[in-house]
């Protein structure tokens, strides 16, 4: 919530109930009635979309300070368009959608702040689809690694440690492709010394190589992130 006002943060903090979340469970699933929004106090949640064939496309990994389910505001009878799977134990605050709508309708300043914040998330999603469509599977993987560095990267002497464990299948879900394809591309990057993998975590040694390969446009960090 770094991009919204203190007033909006206080509003969200004043109208929630707290729910513990457990790894491997679902906070909500695509098609369910969207009665609540969720503010993440702790833990990690994966936001994804599944097609008719069961193929999964991961859009975001959300963590502390993120609001999810937000696209259902002011839509009578709305249902969740995405699925939220818990990746890490934590706590979320449940916010009744109707209550939040009433508060925003009565306070134009807060409504504008909320619209700006939602617009940022639309722009993030647009850039992710841009990378997938314009640069194919390789571009999707490379941009995902760049975004992971921006969101979870820890600077080390020999590169940037992506401090979140991800399986090759989970990386493949970000790219909308098969695990075998990602295995091959990661193998090529390891041979070139661009990355290494230690204890299930990726370390990026040459971030500029990834940027050059996809003709990185130098988007600001608030757009080029995985959350």
């Amino acid at each position: 919530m770094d991009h919204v006002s203190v007033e909006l943060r206080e509003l969200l903090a004043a109208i929630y109930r707290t729910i513990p979340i457990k790894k491997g469970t679902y906070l909500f699933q695509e098609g369910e009635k969207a009665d609540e929004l969720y503010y993440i106090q702790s833990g990690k949640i994966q936001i994804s979309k599944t097609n008719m064939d069961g193929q999964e496309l991961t859009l975001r990994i959300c963590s502390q300070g993120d609001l999810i389910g937000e696209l259902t505001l002011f839509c009578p009878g709305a249902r969740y368009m995405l699925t939220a799977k818990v990746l890490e134990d934590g706590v979320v605050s449940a916010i009744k959608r109707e209550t939040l709508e009433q508060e925003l309708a009565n306070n134009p300043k807060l409504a504008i702040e909320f619209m700006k914040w939602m617009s940022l998330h639309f722009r993030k999603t647009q850039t992710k689809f841009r990378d997938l469509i314009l640069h194919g599977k390789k571009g999707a993987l490379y941009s995902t690694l760049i975004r992971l560095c921006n969101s979870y990267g820890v600077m080390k002497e020999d590169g940037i440690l992506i401090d979140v464990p991800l399986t090759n299948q989970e990386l493949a879900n970000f790219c909308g492709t098969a695990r075998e394809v990602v295995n091959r591309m990661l193998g090529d990057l390891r041979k070139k010394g661009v990355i290494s993998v230690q204890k299930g975590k990726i370390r990026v040694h040459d971030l500029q190589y990834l940027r050059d390969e996809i003709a990185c446009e130098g988007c600001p960090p608030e757009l080029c992130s995985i959350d």
Side-chain angles (χ1 to χ4, degrees), residues 125-137 139-140 175:
T125 301
Q126 288 173 344
T127 60
K128 291 172 186 175
F129 282 123
R130 175 202 64 194
D131 293 340
L132 179 58
I133 294 171
L134 295 182
H135 302 295
K137 307 303 182 184
C175 306

Side-chain angles (χ1 to χ4, degrees), residues 166-201:
L166 291 170
T167 66
N168 286 4
Q169 181 61 62
E170 289 169 332
L171 283 174
N173 291 344
F174 275 106
C175 306
T177 191
R179 183 183 70 251
E180 292 76 13
V181 175
V182 168
N183 291 347
R184 184 172 64 252
M185 290 190 290
L186 290 176
D188 290 341
L189 289 175
R190 284 197 294 268
K191 290 178 182 178
K192 294 175 180 177
V194 177
I195 68 167
S196 62
V197 181
Q198 302 172 9
K199 297 181 180 180
K201 295 182 179 180

